Amino acid sequence: MSITFNETDKLFVISTNNTEYAFKVRHDRFLVHLYYGEKGKSNYDFKANYRSFSPYLPNVGEGFSLNDDFIEFPFYGSGDFRATSLKLRAPAGDCCTSFVYKSHEIISGRKIIKGIPCARAQEGTETLIIHMADEVTGCLLNLYYTVFPKHDIISRYFTLENAGKETVKIEKAMSLSLNLVGHDYDMISLYGAHMEERNIQRSAVVMGNQRVFSRRGASSHQFNPFMALVGKDTDETKGDVFAFNFVYSGNFLDEVEVDQNGHTRVQVGLGDEDFGFKLEAGESFEAPEAIMMYTPNGLGDMSRKMHSFVREAIVPRDPMEKRPIVLNTWEACYFDIDQQKLIDFAYEGVKYGMDMLVMDDGWFGARNDDKAGLGDWFTNTEKFPDGLAVFVDKVKASGMKFGIWIEPEMINPDSDLYRAHPEWCISCKDRTGSLSRSQYVLDFANPAVLDYLKKSFKETFDGVAIDYIKWDFNRHISEPGSPYLPADRQDEATFRFMLGVYDLFYWFMETFPNVMIENCSGGGGRYDLAMMSVSTQIWTSDNTAGRIRPFIQYGSLMAYPSYVMSCHVSNPMVVEDYMNLIDYKFKVALAGMLGYELNILHMGDDVKNEIKKQTAFYRSVEKLIKFGDLYRLVSPFENNGTTAYYYVSTPDSGENYADRILLTYLQNEGVNDGSTITLKISEADANATYKDSVSGETFSGKELNDGINFKMYENNMHGNLWLFERV
Ligand code: GLA
């Protein structure tokens, strides 16, 4: 049993394999949080300090204030001045509510959330549902706590039903709220920009309110929904970590607030600035799911548990036995799509171990540059005079699989679709819409838009032997309104847009069940758990430069697994050092799922033979990278771009623990003074002997534990691989 309720103490305890979360009902109505942390370490007796100026209820008396106690799900206006989970505009015009506990149920497994991705139940999953009610509005609130025991994860969300007689409006919705004792924490978040995704930032939690958010209508390159609060001494191998994430791809808010008692409240949800939702009598609302995890064993343990959670509970069934090593046309051709050239790519790529040709942008409508064509999802007959199906069959005759690029949410003003339906764009009444990459965003709150897209993709892809779709999203949402929705529902436009996006993903997955979807948003602009649950992998970043890429991948691996991280070797820009850079970029790409993005027809035999060795090596370690446990040794963020990490085999990767270890060292910037770096492989079996199949050298496990000494390169953009195999 993962969830228990003690009737006498009115105490709920939710357990994972190693953690415990506890709260109780106080004064028969208020839910008060008591503990989150290691299992068996608490007496559940936490009591906040009562402060003057904290309001108390006349029928409860001084000594209990919603403003000081750890309120499990704080609501706005009734005396808790801290960050709120739910702000509801009542029919009377005020935003005051007071939700009280009514009853609860514990079910095995989980309920799913209508229209929004959520984690799949795992072995031992149970759900606690708390039923609460607000007397004045008549609204009923249900809090959901779902346990993923093995991953030490508990998920949270709420549903709200307007059982009253009049309309209410949700003005802030936070799926998860957690109170932590004290504020001696650092906050870790992932920030960035297009081409610079997921830099790791660590900063002290301070008195007041700190926010990580997106107001862009996408989870964004700029801030990722992942966040962690960690102890001051927490590092890779030790220390407290409270980690959070949100299973949603639109606007979000991660909020951390320290109160007058020095305690910290963490919240994750849709937020208040870019979200509102009207509920008429009888209507209900379901919030997206947020997850939380605790470990006392540092960031490495956090990442490994997050990784296996994403693999097992988030990403759908892999439609292919092996991930395809793609040859993507973007950096080779851009918009210059020529069918014979692509067929030649396929015949050449297959010789060197690649197994899928991905035709990127430029194959449809009048799409000869990024100024036109989006929305017109029919094959460009000048480029494909015999049609798409005939071309794809020719590609596939080479032995390669075939993938194709789409960007369904978008529309160029220069398109037939826009000329026919200018009212189908996201926009605000009477305002000129801002362009970004010469495009607007379609109003997915409007069912007619979704119907049109489904019909055109069905027609265009009918009878075409597609194996893979690269689904892109290349701008953010400004003028966030929906011409389809009435004036009093305009605040719902971006949320309903996301529901439409998920609807289209589900339709694709149902209509083309054997097609693998790779997500993309100008690279990694929607690198979030919800996108991961409707696709197999994500294009990590448009930046494939050897100098920057190790940072982006290292940051991505903090919260998300190699299993979803699409890594391409692209054309080196520098001519002189070509062979070394092809080698270096491959070593960089070996952190995740391999692909290529270069003009194979322009490569000399030396490069192509090198690629052949690379693809063979990748296949020999693919499972180790995909399912193995990641151990980070050297962070590029703290070491001038020098990076080191290893993957260790586990039963998940089909081997015994530590039978094989793949160690990567990358040196991409900074000045080298000729010093030696020691790389300690703590996971090697001390009693075993290992042979490095790259160099042929032999090491005892103990030697690997103590660390191998590596003399740093004199020049940057060099890397080394070791594949230690137990002999
Ligand atoms: C985005 C993607 C690229 C490529 C282009 C095509 O930038 O991230 O990989 O698909 O769009 O326009």
Side-chain angles (χ1 to χ4, degrees):
M1 286 271 282
S2 308
I3 302 173
T4 59
F5 177 64
N6 178 322
E7 188 68 54
T8 321
D9 297 335
K10 301 270 182 275
L11 174 73
F12 294 96
V13 178
I14 304 172
S15 311
T16 67
N17 284 2
N18 303 293
T19 71
E20 218 164 61
Y21 183 93
F23 60 95
K24 74 190 304 182
V25 187
R26 281 218 163 115
H27 303 288
D28 283 334
R29 62 195 120 154
F30 298 116
L31 296 180
V32 176
H33 177 77
L34 297 171
Y35 178 71
Y36 186 33
E38 245 179 297
K39 214 174 197 165
K41 291 264 167 93
S42 171
N43 298 323
Y44 318 124
D45 54 2
F46 176 79
K47 181 82 188 73
N49 206 5
Y50 176 71
R51 294 283 185 149
S52 45
F53 282 80
S54 286
Y56 55 90
L57 291 145
N59 49 1
V60 175
E62 277 185 72
F64 178 84
S65 171
L66 293 172
N67 188 47
D68 291 317
D69 254 296
F70 280 9
I71 299 306
E72 189 56 24
F73 189 82
F75 36 84
Y76 181 89
S78 292
D80 187 345
F81 298 122
R82 297 166 293 182
T84 199
S85 289
L86 182 63
K87 186 172 176 191
L88 199 59
R89 193 159 296 276
D94 64 83
C95 286
C96 194
T97 52
S98 181
F99 283 94
V100 297
Y101 168 81
K102 290 291 181 191
S103 64
H104 70 269
E105 51 189 303
I106 297 169
I107 59 167
S108 77
R110 68 161 304 155
K111 300 229 171 177
I112 57 154
I113 305 174
K114 228 183 295 144
I116 306 178
C118 59
R120 278 187 304 280
Q122 301 293 296
E123 204 185 321
T125 290
E126 289 179 6
T127 300
L128 167 65
I129 310 166
I130 303 267
H131 303 291
M132 301 177 86
D134 175 55
E135 213 182 312
V136 176
T137 58
C139 285
L140 304 175
L141 174 69
N142 303 304
L143 309 183
Y144 290 79
Y145 298 78
T146 298
V147 192
F148 301 87
K150 172 183 150 188
H151 305 98
D152 288 329
I153 282 177
I154 300 173
S155 83
R156 314 262 305 262
Y157 70 96
F158 73 86
T159 62
L160 187 75
E161 185 191 334
N162 184 359
K165 294 196 172 56
E166 290 176 79
T167 301
V168 298
K169 189 177 170 203
I170 306 172
E171 297 194 350
K172 183 176 183 192
M174 301 303 274
S175 298
L176 177 156
S177 182
L178 171 68
N179 298 276
L180 294 171
V181 180
H183 66 281
D184 219 4
Y185 302 109
D186 285 342
M187 175 170 159
I188 294 181
S189 57
L190 304 174
Y191 72 94
H194 177 223
M195 309 276 272
E196 286 173 34
E197 293 90 338
R198 290 172 292 288
N199 294 282
I200 299 173
Q201 168 169 257
R202 180 168 180 162
S203 56
V205 168
V206 294
M207 301 301 290
N209 189 296
Q210 294 130 83
R211 293 175 160 215
V212 173
F213 54 85
S214 169
R215 307 183 187 104
R216 295 169 166 268
S219 50
S220 88
H221 314 77
Q222 285 70 15
F223 285 116
N224 190 270
F226 163 81
M227 172 183 67
L229 292 196
V230 304
K232 293 287 176 192
D233 63 349
T234 294
D235 59 20
E236 279 295 315
T237 59
K238 62 168 186 353
D240 288 328
V241 181
F242 296 92
F244 307 91
N245 213 329
F246 198 29
V247 192
Y248 187 65
S249 318
N251 295 329
F252 71 90
L253 174 64
D254 293 347
E255 192 171 14
V256 176
E257 187 167 300
V258 182
D259 69 15
Q260 59 179 343
N261 282 319
H263 298 315
T264 307
R265 178 173 284 172
V266 185
Q267 300 203 327
V268 178
L270 294 165
D272 48 3
E273 247 181 296
D274 303 279
F275 169 76
F277 203 93
K278 186 174 132 183
L279 283 183
E280 287 175 9
E283 286 185 336
S284 45
F285 170 80
E286 301 193 36
E289 179 169 42
I291 62 162
M292 59 185 189
M293 176 224 259
Y294 167 76
T295 170
N297 299 322
L299 291 164
D301 191 50
M302 172 203 76
S303 295
R304 287 185 287 279
K305 286 193 174 130
M306 286 286 187
H307 293 174
S308 60
F309 175 73
V310 174
R311 286 197 304 259
E312 290 160 25
I314 296 286
V315 182
R317 179 189 66 86
D318 208 331
M320 290 177 198
E321 207 185 306
K322 287 187 292 180
R323 288 290 167 82
I325 300 178
V326 306
L327 175 58
N328 180 294
T329 61
W330 180 241
E331 288 193 31
C333 310
Y334 295 104
F335 293 98
D336 190 12
I337 296 287
D338 171 277
Q339 59 171 346
Q340 192 52 50
K341 186 160 73 182
L342 267 47
I343 293 165
D344 293 346
F345 273 17
Y347 276 89
E348 199 61 9
V350 76
K351 288 196 228 156
Y352 300 99
M354 300 171 186
D355 35 35
M356 183 160 74
L357 182 85
V358 176
M359 177 165 71
D360 210 284
D361 202 348
W363 59 270
F364 54 92
R367 188 76 172 163
N368 297 315
D369 54 31
D370 66 8
K371 309 252 173 307
L374 288 173
D376 299 340
W377 296 108
F378 45 83
T379 311
N380 181 313
T381 46
E382 274 166 38
K383 294 179 188 175
F384 299 96
D386 307 323
L388 197 55
V390 172
F391 161 71
V392 172
D393 287 346
K394 284 185 183 159
V395 168
K396 293 184 78 165
S398 70
M400 288 277 245
K401 293 190 167 66
F402 179 79
I404 195 162
W405 181 95
I406 59 174
E407 194 181 2
E409 291 95 325
M410 298 297 166
I411 177 166
N412 287 116
D414 185 0
S415 66
D416 291 348
L417 183 61
Y418 187 82
R419 284 181 280 274
H421 287 290
E423 79 288 4
W424 277 7
C425 295
I426 285 194
S427 61
C428 291
K429 194 165 185 299
D430 299 333
R431 295 194 186 275
T432 306
S434 310
L435 287 165
S436 181
R437 209 195 191 206
S438 304
Q439 62 201 54
Y440 293 131
V441 184
L442 283 167
D443 179 12
F444 273 29
N446 183 349
V449 173
L450 292 174
D451 289 348
Y452 166 82
L453 288 171
K454 289 174 188 171
K455 193 166 163 282
S456 42
F457 283 118
K458 182 98 180 92
E459 273 169 22
T460 301
F461 291 164
D462 196 35
V464 184
I466 290 170
D467 300 298
Y468 158 115
I469 280 169
K470 177 175 170 189
W471 184 314
D472 217 331
F473 182 84
N474 278 323
R475 69 158 289 178
H476 289 146
I477 297 179
S478 58
E479 293 83 28
S482 160
Y484 172 77
L485 294 172
D488 59 356
R489 287 197 182 268
Q490 287 301 308
D491 286 350
E492 298 168 28
T494 53
F495 179 71
R496 289 189 183 273
F497 168 80
M498 278 318 310
L499 297 182
V501 172
Y502 297 133
D503 179 289
L504 195 62
F505 267 99
Y506 292 138
W507 177 84
F508 262 92
M509 291 163 86
E510 244 177 74
T511 312
F512 307 101
N514 299 319
V515 168
M516 169 178 158
I517 299 179
E518 173 152 342
N519 234 286
C520 177
S521 168
R526 287 202 299 200
Y527 211 86
D528 61 67
L529 293 177
M531 280 298 152
M532 288 173 195
S533 69
V534 289
S535 49
T536 305
Q537 58 188 40
I538 303 194
W539 180 222
T540 313
S541 175
D542 277 347
N543 196 333
T544 51
R547 200 179 70 76
I548 306 290
R549 191 79 175 190
F551 289 88
I552 297 170
Q553 294 181 176
Y554 195 92
S556 303
L557 288 166
M558 187 53 75
Y560 306 99
S562 52
Y563 190 80
V564 299
M565 189 166 80
S566 177
C567 301
H568 292 182
V569 177
S570 65
N571 266 337
M573 298 297 175
V574 184
V575 179
E576 313 86 69
D577 207 13
Y578 206 91
M579 274 302 280
N580 171 57
L581 287 178
I582 279 281
D583 173 67
Y584 180 67
K585 286 189 162 194
F586 171 68
K587 286 168 179 160
V588 172
L590 263 194
M593 304 294 100
L594 184 70
Y596 288 82
E597 188 147 342
L598 37 73
N599 189 332
I600 186 114
L601 303 176
H602 286 172
M603 303 286 151
D605 285 344
D606 51 349
V607 176
K608 287 192 283 203
N609 289 329
E610 184 61 27
I611 289 176
K612 191 168 188 174
K613 282 192 224 146
Q614 294 178 350
T615 52
F617 185 80
Y618 170 73
R619 283 296 184 213
S620 77
V621 292
E622 181 182 356
K623 278 196 168 166
L624 179 54
I625 297 169
K626 203 168 161 189
F627 297 102
D629 277 353
L630 171 72
Y631 282 77
R632 290 180 287 256
L633 299 179
V634 182
S635 163
F637 295 96
E638 291 158 18
N639 297 278
N640 274 332
T642 297
T643 309
Y645 48 82
Y646 62 88
Y647 287 101
V648 56
S649 66
T650 69
D652 283 350
S653 67
E655 290 162 306
N656 293 320
Y657 191 78
D659 267 2
R660 291 204 300 165
I661 295 165
L662 177 69
L663 169 65
T664 303
Y665 171 84
L666 304 169
Q667 191 178 311
N668 64 340
E669 59 178 32
V671 181
N672 175 31
D673 56 7
S675 54
T676 297
I677 191 164
T678 304
L679 303 170
K680 294 189 179 181
I681 318 294
S682 63
E683 298 313 292
D685 177 352
N687 301 316
T689 303
Y690 288 90
K691 183 167 178 198
D692 169 19
S693 64
V694 179
S695 69
E697 276 179 82
T698 301
F699 299 85
S700 73
K702 174 83 175 48
E703 269 177 277
L704 295 181
N705 294 161
D706 293 343
I708 53 169
N709 295 318
F710 185 73
K711 190 156 179 320
M712 293 173 80
Y713 295 104
E714 277 173 23
N715 298 317
N716 291 320
M717 309 290 246
H718 283 270
N720 201 51
L721 293 175
W722 296 257
L723 179 58
F724 302 112
E725 298 183 295
R726 195 197 290 266
V727 288

